[in-house]
Amino acid sequence: MSLILDHVTYEYGSDTELAVKALDNIELVIDDNEFLGLIGHTGSGKSTLVQHLNGLLKPTSGHIYFNGRDIHENDFDRRALRGEVGLVFQYPEHQLFELTVFKDVCFGPKNMGMKPEQCEVAAYEALEAVGLDEELYDQSPLDLSGGQKRRVAIAGVLAMHPKVLVLDEPTAGLDPKGRDEILDLVKELKKNLGMTIVLVSHSMDDVAEYADKIVVMDRGKIIYHDTPKNVFAHAKELEAMGLGVPQVTSVMKSLADAGIDVPQDITTVDEAADVLAALCK
Ligand SMILES: Nc1ncnc2c1ncn2[C@@H]1O[C@H](COP(=O)(O)OP(=O)(O)OP(=O)(O)O)[C@@H](O)[C@H]1O
Ligand SMILES: [Mg+2]
């Protein structure tokens, strides 16, 4: 099972004079059980790309295949697809609208035709998985904090038991603790449930820490699609695109520039700690 984007181009307002080409001939294969990080400057097309993965947006040209089938064929069940490829929106407010948290999380499974009892079980399990305090289940989702809203939005998608979880900047606006909690949760979901994860992020540190592969977008095109080490070896090119490298990669480079014998392809704090500990011995 994989998701394939085959020469996908997307224009907003394609039949108007104000057409904006947001995706330009994207070719991408997302493998099963992969953790893919998607980075790029603001406006580079990340949100537009991820909204194609569950059929919310339809390519102006090109095709998207899920499990070998074109998702825009007439007889393809796109409602079922939205359960299998779960998208957590960039702004949780765009996703939460029911009167209570619990009802909100039940919405997805209900919409997919699950029986009421099954919906409730799925909602409880999902809310438990995201670690939301039970006292909040009957509150309005709009009264919650930013971090709590994101958990509810993730639970609403998890309750549909997706195979692919797509998160559009799920840590934006969270403090470091909230950020780590959400990302650790996502990592656990991949490990325990074998989910495929697509994580859109502005944080180089986060994608370096969690992703197996990284896609770098610039002006609607994919510039790099590689391992974190290979992507962050292009520090100058990334800088030219308004991106950076993980903080720890910069620190190790400064140490190397100062004449200390450390590798320059370090991308995670754990790796750096090992190298520095070995150096001190
Ligand atoms: N609804 C829309 N109508 C017209 N143009 C749009 C619309 N949504 C996005 N765009 C344009 O499409 C391009 C890609 O936008 P997109 O939101 O996909 O970028 P992004 O990488 O997700 O940015 P950000 O990091 O700010 O979330 C931008 O030029 C944006 O202005
Ligand atoms: Mg976006």
Side-chain angles (χ1 to χ4, degrees):
M1 291 229 283
S2 58
L3 263 166
I4 298 173
L5 282 78
D6 177 22
H7 296 283
V8 170
T9 291
Y10 185 78
E11 281 183 359
Y12 287 100
S14 58
D15 40 10
T16 70
E17 281 181 7
L18 300 171
V20 175
K21 193 184 267 186
L23 296 180
D24 189 357
N25 204 21
I26 296 288
E27 287 189 77
L28 177 65
V29 177
I30 303 171
D31 286 323
D32 280 351
N33 201 23
E34 179 177 6
F35 195 133
L36 183 72
L38 181 51
I39 60 178
H41 194 261
T42 181
S44 57
K46 305 178 297 294
S47 294
T48 306
L49 190 154
V50 296
Q51 288 175 68
H52 278 77
L53 300 180
N54 72 348
L56 263 188
L57 293 179
K58 185 179 178 191
T60 308
S61 64
H63 299 272
I64 294 168
Y65 299 94
F66 182 59
N67 296 339
R69 291 208 49 209
D70 186 330
I71 68 168
H72 291 289
E73 267 174 19
N74 283 342
D75 61 344
F76 188 89
D77 186 350
R78 276 182 295 284
R79 196 168 68 151
L81 176 72
R82 287 193 192 142
E84 294 194 272
V85 181
L87 171 63
V88 182
F89 283 86
Q90 182 164 4
Y91 304 101
E93 291 77 9
H94 292 181
Q95 192 170 335
L96 306 173
F97 55 87
E98 288 276 7
L99 285 176
T100 70
V101 163
F102 194 76
K103 278 191 184 155
D104 215 298
V105 177
C106 286
F107 177 82
K110 199 165 97 188
N111 201 33
M112 284 174 62
M114 275 195 211
K115 290 192 188 118
E117 320 83 76
Q118 286 177 323
C119 293
E120 293 198 2
V121 172
Y124 269 116
E125 284 174 353
L127 282 163
E128 208 165 43
V130 299
L132 194 84
D133 202 330
E134 225 172 298
E135 285 171 14
L136 302 175
Y137 289 9
D138 289 327
Q139 287 210 10
S140 162
L142 301 179
D143 291 339
L144 305 180
S145 72
Q148 289 165 339
K149 275 183 198 157
R150 287 194 189 271
R151 281 170 205 268
V152 175
I154 295 174
V157 168
L158 286 182
M160 293 186 278
H161 302 147
K163 311 236 171 14
V164 182
L165 180 61
V166 184
L167 301 130
D168 196 350
E169 307 218 24
T171 58
L174 299 188
D175 60 18
K177 183 165 170 280
R179 188 193 74 180
D180 288 348
E181 283 172 3
I182 295 274
L183 292 177
D184 286 338
L185 164 72
V186 172
K187 194 171 155 187
E188 287 298 303
L189 291 169
K190 174 179 185 271
K191 197 169 121 208
N192 299 338
L193 303 178
M195 277 180 167
T196 305
I197 308 288
V198 179
L199 172 74
V200 177
S201 179
H202 266 119
S203 162
M204 305 303 129
D205 299 74
D206 289 352
V207 287
E209 182 80 35
Y210 291 93
D212 306 316
K213 289 270 186 74
I214 297 178
V215 162
V216 180
M217 292 190 68
D218 189 39
R219 283 172 278 182
K221 288 189 193 310
I222 292 182
I223 308 297
Y224 300 117
H225 178 196
D226 212 327
T227 58
K229 274 196 193 316
N230 289 341
V231 166
F232 291 122
H234 297 278
K236 280 208 182 83
E237 292 87 346
L238 291 171
E239 204 177 311
M241 284 177 235
L243 302 173
V245 295
Q247 235 176 357
V248 67
T249 309
S250 305
V251 169
M252 296 307 269
K253 184 168 184 313
S254 303
L255 290 178
D257 290 348
I260 299 171
D261 184 20
V262 290
Q264 291 190 42
D265 64 347
I266 300 283
T267 53
T268 68
V269 174
D270 283 350
E271 274 179 294
D274 289 346
V275 165
L276 295 177
L279 210 62
C280 292
K281 270 189 190 152

